[in-house]
Amino acid sequence: MTTVYDAGRATTPAARGGAAPFRGSLLTRQRRRAAWLFLAPMIVVLSLVAGWPLLRTIYFSFTDATLYDLEYHEFIGLLNFYYLAIDPHWWRAVWNTVFFAVVSVSIETVLGMVIALTLNAHMPGRGLLRAAMLIPWAIPTVVSAQMWGWMYHDLYGVINEIFLFLGLIDQPRAWIADPDLSMYAVIAVDVWKTTPFMTLLILAALQLLPGEVYEAARVDGINPVKVFFKVTLPLIKPALMVAIIFRTLDALRIFDLMYVLTGNSRATASMSVYARQQLVDFQDVGYGSAASTFLFLIIAAFTVIYITVGKVNFDQGSK
Amino acid sequence: MRKIVAAAALSAALLFSGGAYSQGDPGRVGIAISCGSVGIEFQVCSTGVEAWAKATGHRVQLVSTPNDSNERLALYQQLLAAKSGDIDVFQIDVVWPGILANHLIDLREFIDPKVLEQHFEAIVTNDVVDDRLVAMPWFTDAGLFYYRNDLLEKYGRPLPTTWQEMTKTARIIQEGERAAGSDRMWGFVFQGRAFEGLTVNALEWLDSFNAGTIVDEQGEITVNNSRAADALSLAASWVNDISPQGVINYSEEEGRGVFQSGNAVFMRNWPYAWPLLNAEDSPVRGKVAVAQLPKGGPDGKHTATLGGWQLAVSKYSKHPEVAADLVRYLTSLEEQKRRAVVGGFNPTIDALYKDQEVLAANPFFGDLYEVFVNAVARPSRVTGVRYNQVSAEFWNAVHATLSGQTDAKTSLADLERTLDRVSRGGRW
């Protein structure tokens, strides 16, 4: 499964269009050679740990290989993809993943923005807050998912205790068992975990903004809301786009969160969970690889969009 | 990449596992075994393994594996598909021989046929694939019905013999206890999470209603029948009535947590829970008893799903004969007896169910002998390599009914269609 994961990240600077092929001075050429020399180890390592498994996965997706015996498999063309296309559970998984990605990234962006703006204001204890915020981001997802699993527990969970105490619910709820609630429970954990990441990226962008602009705005007596939409937002937009796209790529290949919280339950299964189940539980390497390949294509498409859109953003700034 | 991950996980497991090392002389070899992963299961296995190591002079390493059986199978399959000899002896579930047979050696030449005859025939048959003995029975398991006899007494209720009666009794006691101040009291907990354990539970409901075993011996898909629908409808009615809604996300341990803390009247669980419920620090110690699972109505029958674990030797082991000797030792009568006395593991050897020491440690072994012998097998033999898929489709269908998304009839009709597709028209 992991074969697919970091494919989105494997965009080397070379993919950004190398330097124009002009015959420079001897020094320039030497420098270029040296640069390639320095890059070589990374390229070799990447092709070994990311490229090879990826190609193997794509190859398997056209075969009927099983874990029962990997040696003997036959080429079956696009049959796996055909079966994938007619499987309602797969489309359910696609929908789950998209829904999860859109909702969680939107909430994280808004929350991250609010927190970053707050931290950007000069207030006491800012450094401490910034460090404390990183804790959810620092805990491995598997651990935090398990932790939240206990917190969500219908009988002993602290979440029910708090909500009952506050009078938000009248009886304990089974947050991760109830199919109507479980997706939102998963999204809540993701928001808790990755909002700090958003916050930090936005905060970094905010800290770089020139102070004079704000001075001028204050002198002119423009109201803060207008300043935010007319000045702050356009200026941090490039950084914000990077953050959103990174998070979206992450969210599209989400696996551990759902798997730990709700297992293979179809109410929350993401594309990665589906692919893993076919590959590992059902030993169907061919079919599972087809699902993985499909997921890879989606992420690759996103990456291409990111590179093209990202370029526009970085080079010309916003419109 | 998957192999790398598996290998990394395994190396970590090897690094941190409490390997039993005895300084063997040269010519002695090292064997790695995976048996159990946590708590008493791991301890009891490790004691047995150390005894063998001392007797033979070989070195043995215990590899800790995931506790969840689906996860464990995934790890095993990755290792075996990569032809890795890192683990020599595997502890495999009763439904895995068909899935893993290809990677396991035939144990017939290492096991005395007379010894084989001592074991339960049904389990031995289960472990023979294409006329090869790919695994040795180690301990057996069957679903049991745990109940709070103090509460039954308090409310003057007899032990329920049918599921319908159980539902009524559970409701009476639950309401009574809540009125008396235990507002967390529930009637019945079981394994309702979407995993193999739900297949086990639901098969017990079906079979107790005489509704067959999903797929029959001939490979015919029999699951879509009215008795099965009745069984599932009854089970679905428990959720939010006598069972907490969270039960549809419980595996064995979550349910035991509720029962052991005194918050449930009835529980369906494996025998492993017995010593834990009666441990020194257990709040329900001495208030618990065990019986066969209820029947599906007056015309139904008492039944239990066959579980249990076997030991198998990997084809890729560097020392298959030494590994097989370890398997022979661990599955022997003496060792099974020790494990039954110390850990409450059900032997797979008939004679031990009449053994005084074993019965003293596990009083219900004698009364429930029939349950263990007549347990109903999951359809893993007939469905072979596709068993996991069949099971997953089944537990998902049951789960959809329990969580109230679809009614039992619709679920079963859908399941029949899906299984027909999975089996390519019943040809498996």
Side-chain angles (χ1 to χ4, degrees):
Chain A
M1 305 69 65
T2 41
T3 50
V4 180
Y5 284 8
D6 286 344
R9 301 268 177 82
T11 52
T12 55
R16 294 270 187 85
F22 69 103
R23 291 181 58 77
S25 63
L26 182 67
L27 183 65
T28 320
R29 259 180 305 166
Q30 268 184 341
R31 277 191 173 174
R32 200 170 304 148
R33 242 201 322 272
W36 276 112
L37 208 64
F38 280 115
L39 280 177
M42 186 195 74
I43 292 169
V44 170
V45 169
L46 267 181
S47 58
L48 279 177
V49 301
W52 163 241
L54 181 67
L55 289 175
R56 210 171 131 85
T57 302
I58 293 172
Y59 163 75
F60 273 137
S61 68
F62 296 105
T63 69
D64 61 357
T66 63
L67 273 185
Y68 192 70
D69 200 337
L70 267 180
E71 304 300 307
Y72 300 102
H73 54 257
E74 286 171 10
F75 187 80
I76 55 167
L78 289 169
L79 209 56
N80 283 326
F81 291 95
Y82 165 73
Y83 280 123
L84 195 65
I86 60 166
D87 184 1
H89 299 310
W90 163 251
W91 293 112
R92 174 82 201 256
V94 173
W95 164 246
N96 281 344
T97 314
V98 171
F99 180 82
F100 170 84
V102 170
V103 176
S104 69
V105 174
S106 308
I107 298 175
E108 282 153 24
T109 309
V110 174
L111 269 181
M113 181 70 85
V114 170
I115 298 172
L117 287 168
T118 314
L119 285 176
N120 198 33
H122 292 278
M123 52 191 240
R126 200 167 58 154
L128 188 70
L129 268 175
R130 225 177 341 196
M133 236 183 37
L134 267 178
I135 292 173
W137 179 246
I139 300 172
T141 311
V142 176
V143 177
S144 54
Q146 187 61 54
M147 211 164 72
W148 277 85
W150 287 322
M151 284 161 63
Y152 278 134
H153 193 284
D154 56 320
L155 298 186
Y156 312 111
V158 69
I159 302 221
N160 274 329
E161 290 287 326
I162 294 171
F163 282 15
L164 283 169
F165 179 76
L166 295 174
L168 293 171
I169 49 175
D170 51 3
Q171 56 174 9
R173 292 291 186 80
W175 301 98
I176 44 182
D178 184 338
D180 302 328
L181 295 173
S182 54
M183 192 46 137
Y184 297 102
V186 171
I187 288 173
V189 180
D190 194 65
V191 167
W192 172 83
K193 182 177 163 57
T194 46
T195 299
F197 171 80
M198 270 312 212
T199 307
L200 282 186
L201 284 181
I202 297 169
L203 189 59
L206 287 173
Q207 308 251 298
L208 292 173
L209 295 184
E212 307 87 68
V213 192
Y214 292 92
E215 300 256 332
R218 212 176 36 237
V219 171
D220 295 344
I222 300 169
N223 93 23
V225 176
K226 203 166 172 181
V227 171
F228 172 75
F229 282 108
K230 291 284 182 201
V231 180
T232 311
L233 204 52
L235 282 175
I236 63 165
K237 196 176 152 191
L240 193 62
M241 286 308 290
V242 172
I244 289 177
I245 285 163
F246 259 68
R247 279 300 314 137
T248 310
L249 288 177
D250 261 348
L252 284 175
R253 52 188 185 74
I254 187 81
F255 167 77
D256 38 12
L257 202 56
M258 276 94 169
Y259 193 69
V260 173
L261 277 175
T262 52
N264 284 320
S265 162
R266 284 183 178 154
T268 52
S270 67
M271 286 188 267
S272 300
V273 171
Y274 178 94
R276 192 212 78 96
Q277 191 181 30
Q278 300 295 334
L279 244 162
V280 178
D281 291 350
F282 304 161
Q283 300 95 42
D284 204 335
V285 176
Y287 189 74
S289 298
S292 296
T293 305
F294 196 93
L295 172 59
F296 162 71
L297 287 177
I298 292 176
I299 290 181
F302 235 89
T303 313
V304 170
I305 293 168
Y306 154 60
I307 291 168
T308 47
V309 173
K311 249 191 139 113
V312 171
N313 261 328
F314 298 136
D315 299 351
Q316 283 102 38
S318 53
K319 302 182 293 265
Chain B
M1 193 66 192
R2 286 193 307 281
K3 290 176 195 173
I4 295 173
V5 171
L10 188 73
S11 332
L14 286 169
L15 265 178
F16 299 112
S17 63
Y21 284 99
S22 55
Q23 291 302 320
D25 30 292
R28 302 301 183 190
V29 299
I31 294 285
I33 178 172
S34 128
C35 55
S37 55
V38 286
I40 190 157
E41 197 181 348
F42 191 76
Q43 284 162 20
V44 176
C45 173
S46 120
T47 320
V49 165
E50 273 169 43
W52 176 83
K54 213 173 244 130
T56 60
H58 294 299
R59 283 172 301 127
V60 189
Q61 234 180 344
L62 268 79
V63 182
S64 203
T65 49
N67 198 31
D68 177 318
S69 70
N70 289 358
E71 300 279 343
R72 200 181 292 184
L73 178 61
L75 180 68
Y76 286 4
Q77 285 188 304
Q78 285 169 31
L79 284 168
L80 292 169
K83 299 197 171 15
S84 150
D86 289 343
I87 296 182
D88 304 274
V89 179
F90 287 98
Q91 178 182 332
I92 70 170
D93 196 342
V94 72
V95 288
W96 297 350
I99 297 172
L100 299 175
N102 226 359
H103 302 287
L104 304 171
I105 66 166
D106 184 355
L107 291 168
R108 274 195 208 280
E109 50 180 302
F110 304 101
I111 305 285
D112 183 353
K114 281 199 190 63
V115 171
L116 211 53
E117 276 167 25
Q118 301 173 344
H119 292 264
F120 289 144
E121 200 183 341
I123 305 179
V124 174
T125 309
N126 179 74
D127 295 344
V128 173
V129 178
D130 298 334
D131 211 34
R132 293 165 60 241
L133 178 67
V134 296
M136 269 303 281
W138 197 24
F139 61 96
T140 181
D141 244 347
L144 296 176
F145 189 59
Y146 290 82
Y147 62 97
R148 288 278 303 276
N149 49 6
D150 62 320
L151 289 175
L152 286 182
E153 240 164 78
K154 180 174 166 185
Y155 289 83
R157 304 290 302 179
L159 171 68
T161 55
T162 65
W163 288 115
Q164 292 83 346
E165 208 182 316
M166 187 284 291
T167 312
K168 232 184 261 150
T169 304
R171 204 175 295 135
I172 292 169
I173 299 180
Q174 175 181 311
E175 278 162 14
E177 285 299 292
R178 287 189 182 187
S182 317
D183 53 0
R184 283 193 176 166
M185 181 56 83
W186 287 97
F188 181 49
V189 287
F190 55 94
Q191 291 82 51
R193 190 186 177 110
F195 80 131
E196 185 63 28
L198 180 55
T199 294
V200 168
N201 277 251
L203 180 60
E204 280 159 357
W205 306 331
L206 258 59
D207 194 44
S208 72
F209 274 77
N210 294 318
T213 58
I214 311 165
V215 178
D216 72 11
E217 287 293 314
Q218 285 70 46
E220 207 59 48
I221 298 158
T222 59
V223 73
N224 190 12
N225 63 65
S226 64
R227 284 193 299 270
D230 292 345
L232 288 192
S233 303
L234 178 64
S237 77
W238 296 332
V239 179
N240 265 338
D241 174 18
I242 57 166
S243 302
Q245 198 196 1
V247 82
I248 60 174
N249 210 17
Y250 282 5
S251 59
E252 286 83 358
E253 282 295 85
E254 285 90 352
R256 183 178 68 86
V258 173
F259 187 80
Q260 188 157 338
S261 57
N263 290 321
V265 187
F266 299 115
M267 166 174 77
R268 182 270 168 214
N269 215 325
W270 302 104
Y272 86 96
W274 178 257
L276 296 165
L277 293 170
N278 289 297
E280 294 285 326
D281 57 355
S282 161
V284 295
R285 187 181 176 174
K287 301 174 182 170
V288 186
V290 120
Q292 26 187 0
L293 287 160
K295 299 188 291 188
D299 319 329
K301 62 177 182 206
H302 292 290
T303 183
T305 301
L306 178 69
W309 293 82
Q310 342 291 313
L311 289 175
V313 176
S314 159
K315 219 188 225 172
Y316 315 110
S317 163
K318 292 180 193 69
H319 312 284
E321 62 297 330
V322 181
D325 186 64
L326 175 58
V327 170
R328 193 196 46 73
Y329 174 86
L330 289 175
T331 55
S332 68
L333 188 135
E334 296 73 25
E335 176 63 9
Q336 286 208 10
K337 175 173 172 175
R338 188 190 69 82
R339 290 172 52 86
V341 172
V342 178
F345 292 99
N346 283 71
T348 56
I349 297 172
D350 234 352
L352 287 174
Y353 285 82
K354 300 177 188 67
D355 184 288
Q356 286 315 310
E357 277 171 82
V358 172
L359 291 179
N362 306 280
F364 62 86
F365 276 16
D367 311 338
L368 299 179
Y369 170 77
E370 292 299 323
V371 175
F372 297 114
V373 181
N374 300 325
V376 58
R378 285 163 275 175
S380 58
R381 268 179 67 82
V382 64
T383 56
V385 237
R386 294 188 196 279
Y387 170 72
N388 264 348
Q389 205 163 348
V390 171
S391 180
E393 295 296 349
F394 178 61
W395 82 54
N396 273 312
V398 175
H399 199 261
T401 307
L402 290 182
S403 59
Q405 289 171 294
T406 50
D407 63 271
K409 271 202 173 66
T410 320
S411 279
L412 291 174
D414 288 350
L415 175 65
E416 185 179 39
R417 270 197 301 278
T418 312
L419 290 184
D420 196 57
R421 204 175 58 223
V422 168
S423 69
R424 312 225 158 85
R427 284 200 301 278
W428 302 109

